[in-house]
């Protein structure tokens, strides 16, 4: 991605927090008024699970972005987990424990009641699959895992050190932690990511984690990048 003359706003893990996302986007729109040039919002993945409004968040991301902005949505490990469940590669119990229970509630499904009616049967899974619109599933299947420029990498969890960007494994991009953190000072680009909750986003070498645990704290965080300068914005400031 060519980021020259572009104002970038990266947004951390939403996890079903629609109100916080709407509030943060309003702040981004106001903040961006001071800048000319192209403007883009990069969502860092994990739109569903844990928080109360996964369906509304996906509907929001399917709608046009704020006026004057482009929007790129990256995939997170929670979107992949939902798709694995829907495709029969992850058990219902594992997915529900991963945060899927809250996601199903947002689609009007009480998984406990469903299972009591149908038992642990294929019928219960079929009812769950019917509850999630095809447009939502199709959207989640199309999400890229990474966006990069000459200076920056935007990704859900991080990158594996010593591996070229084009050779990165998607499992690492969506799940890596320790190996990435330990090599933060050896990175050749600035990496903006989420996945691991932090109280306050703090630059560590050449990485910045902006997942402030919105579903727990009510604080959804964005990083604005103009040239080589960054500034944090929060849904709750």
């Amino acid at each position: 991605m060519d980021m020259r003359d572009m104002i970038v706003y990266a947004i951390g893990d939403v996890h079903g927090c629609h109100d916080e996302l709407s509030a943060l986007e309003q702040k981004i729109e106001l903040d961006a008024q001071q800048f000319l040039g192209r403007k883009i919002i990069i969502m860092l993945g994990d739109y569903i699970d844990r928080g109360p409004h996964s369906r509304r968040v996906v509907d929001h991301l399917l709608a046009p972005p704020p006026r004057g902005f482009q929007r790129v949505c990256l995939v997170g490990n929670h979107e992949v987990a939902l798709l694995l469940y829907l495709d029969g590669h992850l058990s219902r119990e594992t997915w529900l424990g991963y945060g899927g229970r809250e996601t199903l509630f947002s689609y009007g499904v009480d998984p406990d009641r469903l299972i009591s009616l149908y038992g642990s049967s294929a019928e219960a899974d079929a009812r769950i699959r019917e509850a999630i619109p095809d447009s939502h599933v199709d959207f989640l299947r199309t999400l890229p895992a990474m966006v990069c420029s000459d200076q920056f990498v935007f990704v859900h969890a991080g990158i594996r050190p010593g591996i070229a960007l084009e050779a990165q494994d998607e499992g690492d991009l969506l799940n890596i932690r320790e190996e990435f953190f330990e090599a933060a000072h050896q990175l050749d680009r600035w990496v903006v990511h989420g996945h691991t909750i932090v109280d306050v986003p703090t630059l560590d070498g050449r990485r910045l984690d902006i997942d402030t645990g919105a579903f727990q704290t009510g604080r959804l965080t964005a990083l604005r990048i103009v040239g080589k300068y960054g500034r944090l914005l929060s849904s709750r400031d």
Side-chain angles (χ1 to χ4, degrees):
M1 182 175 69
D2 183 1
M3 283 180 51
R4 289 173 296 178
D5 304 319
M6 182 178 280
I7 297 87
V8 177
Y9 293 86
I11 296 181
D13 302 34
V14 179
H15 276 307
C17 295
H18 177 266
D19 294 347
E20 288 80 358
L21 177 58
S22 296
L24 184 56
E25 279 195 353
Q26 290 176 14
K27 292 189 176 184
I28 287 171
E29 288 186 82
L30 287 172
D31 182 79
Q33 290 176 5
Q34 62 188 298
F35 301 107
L36 300 173
R38 297 174 298 152
K39 297 163 186 173
I40 186 169
I41 294 171
I42 301 177
M43 308 292 301
L44 297 181
D46 278 7
Y47 312 116
I48 62 172
D49 296 348
R50 295 180 174 166
H53 300 302
S54 292
R55 178 173 190 154
R56 290 175 65 191
V57 169
V58 177
D59 278 333
H60 182 94
L61 296 176
L62 279 167
R67 184 181 298 274
F69 284 82
Q70 297 172 253
R71 181 165 58 209
V72 174
C73 297
L74 302 181
V75 69
N77 58 304
H78 281 259
E79 285 77 53
V80 169
L82 168 58
L83 294 174
L84 286 172
Y85 163 68
L86 294 177
D87 292 341
H89 303 305
L90 189 70
S91 73
R92 184 197 318 124
E93 293 77 14
T94 300
W95 178 61
L96 291 178
Y98 209 49
R101 185 175 302 277
E102 292 83 1
T103 293
L104 283 184
F105 278 128
S106 78
Y107 285 97
V109 174
D110 180 341
D112 294 329
R113 183 173 182 275
L114 198 65
I115 292 163
S116 71
L117 285 173
Y118 297 105
S120 297
S121 66
E123 182 68 21
D125 289 327
R127 298 290 181 177
I128 289 172
R129 292 184 179 99
E130 289 171 2
I132 302 175
D134 289 343
S135 61
H136 287 204
V137 177
D138 292 343
F139 168 70
L140 298 180
R141 290 194 193 279
T142 66
L143 301 179
M146 177 172 55
V147 169
C148 54
S149 71
D150 290 341
Q151 291 183 298
F152 292 92
V153 175
F154 300 90
V155 65
H156 179 61
I159 60 176
R160 183 165 292 279
I163 304 293
L165 292 178
E166 62 271 16
Q168 292 281 327
D169 181 79
E170 184 173 288
D172 286 333
L173 300 177
L174 304 187
N175 296 284
I176 198 168
R177 285 194 168 101
E178 281 72 21
E179 300 96 326
F180 169 55
F181 299 163
E182 290 167 1
H185 292 266
Q186 302 162 26
L187 300 170
D188 62 359
R189 304 188 203 201
W190 303 99
V191 180
V192 181
H193 67 98
H195 185 57
T196 301
I197 295 174
V198 294
D199 290 331
V200 179
T202 304
L203 199 61
D204 175 22
R206 285 197 155 204
R207 74 172 185 92
L208 183 65
D209 182 349
I210 59 170
D211 177 7
T212 46
F215 70 98
Q216 294 176 329
T217 65
R219 287 186 294 111
L220 182 63
T221 295
L223 171 68
R224 180 242 283 160
I225 301 171
V226 181
K228 60 180 180 180
Y229 298 101
R231 182 195 169 208
L232 294 169
L233 294 85
S234 172
S235 62
R236 218 175 63 179
D237 287 345

